[in-house]
Amino acid sequence: MSGPNTQYDPVEVAALDPAAVEQAVTDALAAIAAADSLEALKAARLAHQGEKSPLALANREIGALPPSAKAEAGKRVGQARGRVGQALAGRQVELEAERDARILVEETVDLTVRTPRRPLGARHPISLVSERIEDIFVAMGWEIAEGPEVESEWLNFDALNLSPDHPARGEADTFFVAPAGSGLVLRTHTSPVQVRTMLDREPPIYILCPGKVFRTDDLDATHTPVFHQFEGLVVDEGITMAHLKGALDAFVQRLFGDGIVTRLRPNYFPFTEPSAEIDCQCWVCGGADASCRTCGGTGWIELGGCGMVNQRVLRAAGVDPQRYSGFAFGLGIERSLMLRHGVGDMHDIVEGDVRFSRQFGMEI
Amino acid sequence: MHAPVSWLRELADVPADATGADIAAALVKVGLEEEGLSGGDISGPIVVGRVLTVEPEPQKNGKTVNWCTVDVGDHGQRVTEGKAQEIVCGAHNFSAGDLVVCVLPGGVLPGGFEISARKTYGHVSNGMICSARELGLGDDHDGIILLTELLGADAAASLQPGDDAIALLGLADEVVEVNVTPDRGYCFSLRGIAREYALSTGAAYRDPADLRVAEGDGTGYPVHLTDDAPVEGVVGCDRYVARVVRGVDVGAATPQWMRKRLTQVGMRPISLAVDVTNYVMMLLGQPLHAFDLQTLSGAVGTRRARVGEKLTTLDDVARALDPEDLLIVDGSDTPLAIAGVMGGEASEVTSATTDVLIEAAHFDPISIARSSRRHRLVTEASKRFERGVDPAVAAAAAQLAVDLLVEHGGGTADPGATDVGEPRTPAAIAFDTALPTRYVGLDYPREEVLSTLRAIGCVVQDDAGDAGDAGDDVVTVQPPSWRPDLADGPDLVEEVARVRGYDQIPSVLPQPKDGHGLTHGQRVRRVIATTLAHQGLVEVLTYPFVARDLFDRLGYAPDDSRRRAEALVNPLSEEAPLMRTSVLDTLQDALRRNVARGHRDVAVYEVGLVTVGREDAAVAPVPGIEVRPDDATLDRIREAVPAQPRHVAMAAAGDASVAGPWGPARPYDASDAVAWVLTLGTALGLDLEVQAADRSPWHPGRCASISLPDGTVVGHAGELHPKVTAALDLPARSVAAEVDVDVLIAATGTPRQADELSTYPAAHTDVALVVDEQVPAGRVEAALRAGAGEGLESVHLFDVYRGEQVGDGRKSLAYRLTFRAPDRTLTTDEVSALRDAAVAAAAEQTGAVQR
Ligand SMILES: [Zn+2]
């Protein structure tokens, strides 16, 4: 049964009866609605839209109708097929959505299971604090200068106006490199880097000298024989103690918080004259808490020493004190770390336990 | 230095309401650091009592206590119960009728001990009868204080039971303790502290050295000053005052006020002669020495010690003297004392002494400092001489000591006084009065500058109008005798600045003209440190000290240059006297400690300096202070300093990835160590190459050397040798790497030029090459690259096969080769030709056979 039969031209065909067409549509819609899976819908599609479906058969009969009846029958069947097709498409979308949702649910994994296949390591907080301090001064236009840790006695002491009889030059404070009389020590401060810089180039000099230094202290909760400090040196025309105070204030504000200022107290160091002790306002209590653990209730925290570079030091380093003046300061990095981050015991800083570094992450 | 407030008040007009804290603050302002504040923590009732009855009561424990009643006036039980105070006392040095000091319930003794009535030995004791120690008046705890003994019969006669003993004995006196910086030797005296207080507050000051002094008249005890070996050209003694007091009762009691002051400043009262010398030293800062005149024969003098000479000092130590020690000797040339440090036993004042020679001398600070350090003997005298004693105060100090001995010991002073030597006075300073303003950045008017300098004791020759060459206003400043530290302009600037107050100095941020930021090397180091942390390693910082046998444990060959390490004369521990020559030397300590603490899976790294031992131990010259050495000397100084390259070391043990729901664990292996180093190269834009290597402390079959394309070795990585892990007590199969950071820095820094990116399609082709087992994959890959030339974009080893099909001792390496041309799509024939060239090169260089 293919193609219209022109020999046989009935006026009426049962399949095209409006009631029959309507019944076919009703059956199709019921089957489509009942399809609860894409497979069931596929079967319904075959049964109600396939070549052998009632509506397909009806459609084929149209060609046998007389021309006068063709239009009406064609319209009726076409509408019926359209309704079935629409229902199929709608149901298809619904079932696909259901399937997709089900698959996503099935694909759920438990992401609360931690999978540390390659855990991040960590920087040492001493390095992080040091770099942070370096960045503060670099941002002010200073440079970072470094030098050797095994250093000559002259650069470590004499050049800094520490004469051979200075108590700090004894074996009780300083590590000496063998053989005795080698003229070499483990540097006791990073000041020799300042001297090297002054010997190497003309002012203006604005440098920060961070690094490892050595003193013959025993390791305890607050001391370590190997520690880190940063020293600043500025040598330029017209440098004053007010500039020293300005640099220190700027530094503590950037490291410890806005509004924090320093206080200078007269003191004595061979390498500076005038000399001062640097106190920093307590950034925890601001001096308002008599039981503050950070400052001991005094409102001030002792940070280090500073002063105007002794003219003897300038001369030893080949700088003309008539033309230039300068200031210098020195602070401990361990102390800064302990104060800023509440580290209670020096052992944790030096022993290398990975738990210590890990807690600080990569930025401090 | 301790400064009792009541003593200070005698020397300066301290306001009546000023507290110890106020005084400390005033001293801090001018540069004396506050060390502590004591006293002021005592409170009454602490009263005079007269003992009425004493009933000894033997106890079961063998002790006898006294059940006493004491008249304490209108206090305590007289008020509450209408009877005398009942007190149990364990001391026995008193009897009924004696005047004593009682602390009654509610009273607080030094140290915050509050007294209450308490039951003891079967009685209720309503307070205590006090010893000197309990009241903070000294160490004496053998018995209670008897006021008639303590104050003298005359003073005691006017006392009434119930009188306030706090006021009577000055028990509430506060003592300020300050730290004296080494440049301020004069502050090791009440005289100096009072001067500073007056300077800080403007209070009036009375110089206690301002007294009538017997002039040196040539008739005193003979003294000669000899020094045939001055230290650094400075004679050992430049002033010596000697005074003699005869017929002293050395057993006489030291007056209570003096004992109390000595106790307050932290000294123990001992005997009249010693106490007087100490008291004068504390007041004036001049150390004194008292000799028993009868032990001396002939003129006293100074000289340097002789080799082999010995002296038993007052502390009963026989000391071998050094030819640099300055001695006090007598006419028979017998050493009497190490000058300025400690006297000898033989000439000590004893209970048999009647005639005393008082020495008040001025010694060279450096000579004294060296003797003190040499003999490890720090005394009150050496502490002061080292920091500089006022040479002008010697005669006054000797006079005061003589006066006190005569007053309290009943002797007679010889009329003659000896005063020899010529002390150096600090040199005058030509001072520009505008320097303080220029140096501090705060305006100091000329009048203020001059008045401050005068206030600290300088004599200022005000040549107003005598402008210097540059039109400066230069005055001549003669520092006072007690300020040898004032030597140049900035020294005087500090005086001007501290008297106005450092708190007045403004805050002005200095503005450098330009900065270059971090150097290339500094940035590279940050990249290295961060890259390793991102690969899971934790940064640590170790001490760079290592043991002598470490290099044996690391398996270094006898001629390994890394054995050449610098040693320390005075290491922290004899166990670790050498400086590390690799960072791994000490990083392994951190690895072991972490494992011992239960971190089974751990990876650590450290960036730091290592010290290359010097082959020739050239001595670094030490040319001295204040002068720039000549260029040749500077070069020798720098060249003597050993090379100290910066290395980074990495080490790990346990699992690189731990077992979990995602799969089994993967232990760290040698390839991890190699990958760390290669990743550093990637991070720095360097194409590093890997070669098999055999180097301690690594496993000979699991060690790689990593180098720059030009062959420069950057470092080594791999698994540690099993013997090394055993010797170092590290977990088996620990891995490690050591890299020279300076080499990486030097290899980078010139801007890398970008490769042009071809957008033509890539062609992939796979080859399997069979080689001998010993042939490293790295060599095969290098040959493939060399053979294929520019067109080869990448080589990826995707499989290694060993088995029957390739034969014993052989392995098959499967590579994916990716080709791409910059300017066209490669044809199949071109790709084949390139592949064939690559394979041919591999065949020629490694014996590879294509499967
Ligand atoms: Zn605070």
Side-chain angles (χ1 to χ4, degrees):
Chain A
M1 290 200 278
S2 59
N5 186 346
T6 49
Q7 309 303 312
Y8 174 65
D9 215 17
V11 175
E12 277 197 352
V13 177
L16 290 173
D17 174 68
V21 169
E22 191 54 37
Q23 184 59 47
V25 169
T26 303
D27 291 349
L29 294 184
I32 290 164
D36 59 357
S37 68
L38 288 164
E39 289 70 33
L41 189 64
K42 199 175 168 187
R45 185 190 310 273
L46 197 63
H48 298 282
Q49 205 183 33
E51 284 179 7
K52 291 178 182 167
S53 64
L55 286 175
L57 293 173
N59 194 46
R60 219 168 291 149
E61 299 299 340
I62 293 172
L65 291 183
S68 58
K70 265 185 186 169
E72 197 198 336
K75 187 181 170 193
R76 186 185 313 130
V77 173
Q79 279 176 349
R81 288 174 60 151
R83 284 165 67 196
V84 171
Q86 213 174 351
L88 276 169
R91 187 64 185 147
Q92 178 78 21
V93 167
E94 280 172 25
L95 288 173
E96 279 178 5
E98 271 174 33
R99 180 201 59 190
D100 290 352
R102 189 177 64 248
I103 288 174
L104 292 178
V105 168
E106 285 166 4
E107 284 179 354
T108 298
V109 294
D110 181 2
L111 291 178
T112 65
V113 175
R114 299 223 181 177
T115 56
R117 265 166 278 194
R118 188 151 118 186
L120 187 66
R123 301 291 314 280
H124 195 285
I126 285 289
S127 304
L128 294 175
V129 169
S130 183
E131 287 175 9
R132 192 182 175 100
I133 292 168
E134 289 165 22
D135 291 345
I136 288 170
F137 284 94
V138 166
M140 296 199 282
W142 297 34
E143 285 163 32
I144 308 301
E146 292 160 308
E149 292 165 4
V150 176
E151 181 58 284
S152 66
E153 258 189 85
W154 187 80
L155 286 162
N156 192 74
F157 291 129
D158 302 78
L160 292 153
N161 193 36
L162 283 124
S163 63
D165 287 292
H166 194 280
R169 287 183 73 157
E171 284 190 19
D173 296 282
T174 302
F175 290 110
F176 285 85
V177 173
S182 66
L184 298 175
V185 295
L186 301 191
R187 68 178 178 191
T188 58
H189 42 198
T190 58
S191 312
V193 180
Q194 302 183 4
V195 179
R196 284 171 177 270
T197 305
M198 287 189 281
L199 284 168
D200 285 346
R201 64 174 162 102
E202 289 289 311
I205 292 170
Y206 291 78
I207 54 168
L208 190 81
C209 312
K212 196 178 277 186
V213 300
F214 305 82
R215 292 186 199 165
T216 58
D217 291 322
D218 285 324
L219 173 64
D220 63 26
T222 53
H223 296 86
T224 163
V226 182
F227 58 103
H228 299 78
Q229 62 165 201
F230 61 99
E231 294 191 345
L233 172 74
V234 167
V235 181
D236 202 345
E237 290 175 350
I239 291 297
T240 67
M241 282 185 87
H243 291 131
L244 165 60
K245 176 99 166 72
L248 291 170
D249 282 343
F251 163 68
V252 297
Q253 282 163 20
R254 284 157 177 75
L255 190 67
F256 295 119
D258 286 342
I260 302 290
V261 296
T262 58
R263 172 178 81 172
L264 301 183
R265 278 182 291 120
N267 202 330
Y268 170 78
F269 305 109
F271 19 88
T272 47
E273 186 71 35
S275 303
E277 195 77 24
I278 308 161
D279 291 340
C280 168
Q281 253 177 342
C282 179
W283 55 87
V284 176
C285 75
D289 178 4
S291 61
C292 175
R293 285 173 58 196
T294 304
C295 66
T298 63
W300 295 93
I301 295 160
E302 210 174 297
L303 284 186
C306 66
M308 297 297 286
V309 181
N310 195 312
Q311 296 189 344
R312 295 173 193 190
V313 175
L314 293 179
R315 276 193 285 272
V319 175
D320 177 8
Q322 296 308 314
R323 180 170 173 200
Y324 296 108
S325 56
F327 67 75
F329 56 82
L331 289 84
I333 296 178
E334 276 79 1
R335 186 166 164 73
S336 301
L337 175 70
M338 292 176 98
L339 286 167
R340 191 170 182 263
H341 297 274
V343 178
D345 195 332
M346 187 69 78
H347 288 87
D348 291 341
I349 297 177
V350 308
E351 280 177 349
D353 191 314
V354 293
R355 287 172 298 176
F356 181 68
S357 290
R358 278 194 191 286
Q359 57 190 327
F360 296 95
M362 303 284 277
E363 164 63 9
I364 201 161
Chain B
M1 177 72 198
H2 296 79
V5 171
S6 62
W7 198 352
L8 202 57
R9 286 179 185 279
E10 288 182 8
L11 309 185
D13 284 344
V14 180
D17 58 352
T19 63
D22 296 335
I23 292 168
L27 294 174
V28 165
K29 183 183 159 236
V30 289
L32 291 159
E33 201 172 355
E34 184 184 342
E35 289 278 284
L37 188 60
S38 59
D41 58 350
I42 193 166
S43 64
I46 300 175
V47 299
V48 173
R50 185 179 297 279
V51 180
L52 301 175
T53 61
V54 181
E55 287 175 33
E57 295 184 351
Q59 304 294 315
K60 285 180 195 143
N61 62 9
K63 276 171 73 173
T64 299
V65 301
N66 294 306
W67 168 237
C68 309
T69 55
V70 186
D71 177 3
V72 293
D74 290 333
H75 294 280
Q77 288 168 284
R78 173 75 62 207
V79 178
T80 55
E81 300 167 48
K83 60 181 181 181
Q85 202 77 3
E86 295 163 336
I87 300 178
V88 171
C89 182
H92 299 282
N93 64 327
F94 67 103
S95 50
D98 282 340
L99 280 173
V100 296
V101 178
C102 295
V103 53
L104 306 183
V108 179
L109 294 180
F113 296 108
E114 189 174 341
I115 305 302
S116 55
R118 66 188 187 98
K119 207 165 159 125
T120 177
Y121 296 111
H123 297 282
V124 173
S125 183
N126 287 277
M128 269 168 61
I129 307 177
C130 299
S131 70
R133 192 168 76 184
E134 282 157 353
L135 293 177
L137 290 176
D139 272 346
D140 197 348
H141 194 52
D142 292 340
I144 57 161
I145 291 174
L146 299 175
L147 287 171
T148 308
E149 269 181 31
L150 186 76
L151 304 174
D154 292 348
S158 60
L159 295 176
Q160 295 295 323
D163 285 357
D164 180 14
I166 294 177
L168 176 71
L169 301 173
L171 299 176
D173 197 7
E174 287 183 281
V175 179
V176 177
E177 189 185 355
V178 290
N179 184 27
V180 178
T181 53
D183 59 330
R184 297 268 164 80
Y186 67 100
C187 283
F188 274 115
S189 67
L190 263 295
R191 183 192 189 215
I193 301 279
R195 195 187 294 279
E196 291 295 297
Y197 176 79
L199 196 59
S200 178
T201 60
Y205 165 72
R206 288 173 292 280
D207 187 350
D210 191 6
L211 49 95
R212 264 184 70 92
V213 172
E215 299 283 326
D217 57 2
T219 66
Y221 197 86
V223 172
H224 65 88
L225 298 183
T226 310
D227 185 358
D228 48 14
V231 174
E232 314 280 349
V234 177
V235 296
C237 178
D238 59 8
R239 188 178 188 190
Y240 198 106
V241 173
R243 298 289 302 274
V244 170
V245 184
R246 296 177 200 270
V248 179
D249 173 11
V250 295
T254 302
Q256 163 56 23
W257 61 265
M258 191 186 292
R259 294 162 62 96
K260 178 173 171 233
R261 284 188 173 170
L262 289 173
T263 306
Q264 284 180 324
V265 298
M267 302 196 82
R268 241 174 82 91
I270 293 169
S271 68
L272 181 64
V274 175
D275 293 350
V276 163
T277 56
N278 283 338
Y279 174 76
V280 172
M281 174 175 68
M282 286 299 167
L283 177 61
L284 299 179
Q286 168 71 56
L288 300 174
H289 191 70
F291 295 101
D292 182 341
L293 190 63
Q294 273 148 7
T295 65
L296 308 181
S297 61
V300 167
T302 60
R303 69 164 167 84
R304 298 287 166 181
R306 301 193 181 103
V307 177
E309 216 165 3
K310 283 200 164 64
L311 175 68
T312 301
T313 42
L314 282 175
D315 53 356
D316 203 24
V317 176
R319 295 178 186 274
L321 301 175
D322 183 279
E324 219 181 54
D325 287 332
L326 185 71
L327 303 180
I328 307 297
V329 295
D330 68 6
S332 66
D333 209 24
T334 309
L336 304 177
I338 303 174
V341 181
M342 193 178 267
E345 215 170 44
S347 55
E348 186 183 5
V349 171
T350 68
S351 56
T353 303
T354 56
D355 301 344
V356 175
L357 181 132
I358 300 286
E359 164 201 291
H362 184 254
F363 299 113
D364 168 31
I366 290 182
S367 178
I368 302 303
R370 291 191 187 174
S371 289
S372 167
R373 210 167 310 152
R374 196 178 294 126
H375 295 288
R376 297 178 200 279
L377 192 55
V378 177
T379 62
E380 293 292 333
S382 73
K383 212 163 76 180
R384 286 172 174 77
F385 281 124
E386 241 185 83
R387 289 164 176 79
V389 166
D390 179 2
V393 83
Q399 182 69 52
L400 184 55
V402 166
D403 293 348
L404 289 167
L405 274 180
V406 169
E407 182 183 351
H408 301 286
T412 312
D414 279 9
T418 306
D419 189 348
V420 296
E422 277 177 33
R424 293 192 301 179
T425 46
I429 302 165
F431 185 60
D432 176 357
T433 57
L435 189 63
T437 299
R438 272 210 317 275
Y439 224 60
V440 178
L442 175 62
D443 190 40
Y444 296 98
R446 184 174 197 276
E447 299 68 47
E448 178 184 345
V449 171
L450 298 191
S451 78
T452 297
L453 294 178
R454 288 186 173 120
I456 63 167
C458 293
V459 176
V460 181
Q461 219 178 320
D462 184 358
D463 317 321
D466 278 15
D469 293 344
D472 302 336
D473 173 34
V474 176
V475 296
T476 305
V477 179
Q478 174 62 55
S481 57
W482 60 88
R483 293 297 304 269
D485 61 304
L486 300 180
D488 59 17
D491 291 333
L492 300 180
V493 169
E494 175 167 288
E495 299 300 310
V496 173
R498 77 184 174 102
V499 169
R500 170 90 76 94
Y502 279 12
D503 55 343
Q504 302 296 307
I505 299 173
S507 184
V508 179
L509 188 63
Q511 298 289 353
K513 291 191 182 54
D514 63 344
H516 299 108
L518 295 178
T519 63
H520 167 67
Q522 287 158 352
R523 284 197 303 271
V524 165
R525 271 154 49 196
R526 289 190 180 189
V527 169
I528 288 173
T530 309
T531 300
L532 291 175
H534 279 292
Q535 291 188 84
L537 293 94
V538 177
E539 187 178 20
V540 300
L541 296 167
T542 60
Y543 292 174
F545 309 126
V546 301
R548 283 193 188 279
D549 67 348
L550 177 69
F551 304 132
D552 294 334
R553 286 186 279 150
L554 290 171
Y556 289 178
D559 60 348
D560 193 311
S561 64
R562 290 170 295 171
R563 281 181 178 274
R564 204 170 59 236
E566 295 292 341
L568 297 178
V569 172
N570 54 332
L572 206 54
S573 145
E574 288 304 328
E575 311 282 290
L578 305 183
M579 299 300 291
R580 67 183 178 194
T581 58
S582 302
V583 173
L584 192 53
D585 291 352
T586 55
L587 184 66
Q588 51 94 9
D589 288 328
L591 184 68
R592 180 174 44 254
R593 178 172 295 128
N594 275 292
V595 172
R597 287 191 181 176
H599 311 308
R600 205 187 71 90
D601 310 313
V602 63
V604 290
Y605 76 99
E606 177 176 2
V607 184
L609 299 189
V610 302
T611 307
V612 179
R614 294 165 301 158
E615 274 178 273
D616 62 328
V619 168
V622 188
I625 65 168
E626 212 180 336
V627 180
R628 182 190 184 278
D630 57 51
D631 288 344
T633 307
L634 274 178
D635 286 346
R636 281 168 59 214
I637 289 173
R638 291 182 207 248
E639 282 160 14
V641 175
Q644 291 158 70
R646 194 176 303 269
H647 282 196
V648 55
M650 301 138 251
D655 290 339
S657 63
V658 294
W662 50 86
R666 184 182 74 75
Y668 280 111
D669 63 37
S671 70
D672 287 295
V674 173
W676 294 329
V677 181
L678 293 180
T679 305
L680 290 183
T682 310
L684 296 171
L686 285 173
D687 301 317
L688 297 180
E689 291 171 3
V690 183
Q691 267 109 31
D694 180 3
R695 180 176 170 89
S696 300
W698 285 277
H699 186 306
R702 297 183 176 183
C703 173
S705 81
I706 292 139
S707 47
L708 300 174
D710 70 2
T712 308
V713 173
V714 164
H716 293 81
E719 182 182 313
L720 290 174
H721 196 294
K723 279 189 179 159
V724 172
T725 52
L728 297 179
D729 198 20
L730 293 174
R733 307 282 177 209
S734 293
V735 302
E738 173 111 10
V739 166
D740 190 326
V741 173
D742 291 342
V743 170
L744 292 178
I745 291 170
T748 49
T750 47
R752 182 183 169 116
Q753 301 306 303
D755 294 334
E756 223 169 278
L757 301 186
S758 165
T759 53
Y760 290 92
H764 305 285
T765 178
D766 296 347
V767 294
L769 299 172
V770 178
V771 292
D772 282 344
E773 189 62 67
Q774 296 81 358
V775 174
R779 270 183 58 206
V780 178
E781 182 181 322
L784 289 170
R785 284 184 185 282
E790 299 268 296
L792 181 63
E793 186 170 271
S794 68
V795 183
H796 171 60
L797 176 66
F798 65 85
D799 189 35
V800 179
Y801 171 80
R802 294 178 179 82
E804 277 179 27
Q805 292 177 38
V806 295
D808 262 5
R810 307 269 285 169
K811 62 188 172 189
S812 168
L813 307 173
Y815 289 96
R816 162 151 294 196
L817 308 180
T818 302
F819 296 97
R820 199 195 305 257
D823 52 354
R824 64 189 191 284
T825 302
L826 291 171
T827 66
T828 312
D829 286 349
E830 282 174 323
V831 171
S832 300
L834 286 169
R835 183 200 59 210
D836 292 347
V839 170
E844 189 193 321
Q845 291 173 32
T846 69
V849 178
Q850 191 168 6
R851 268 176 89 193

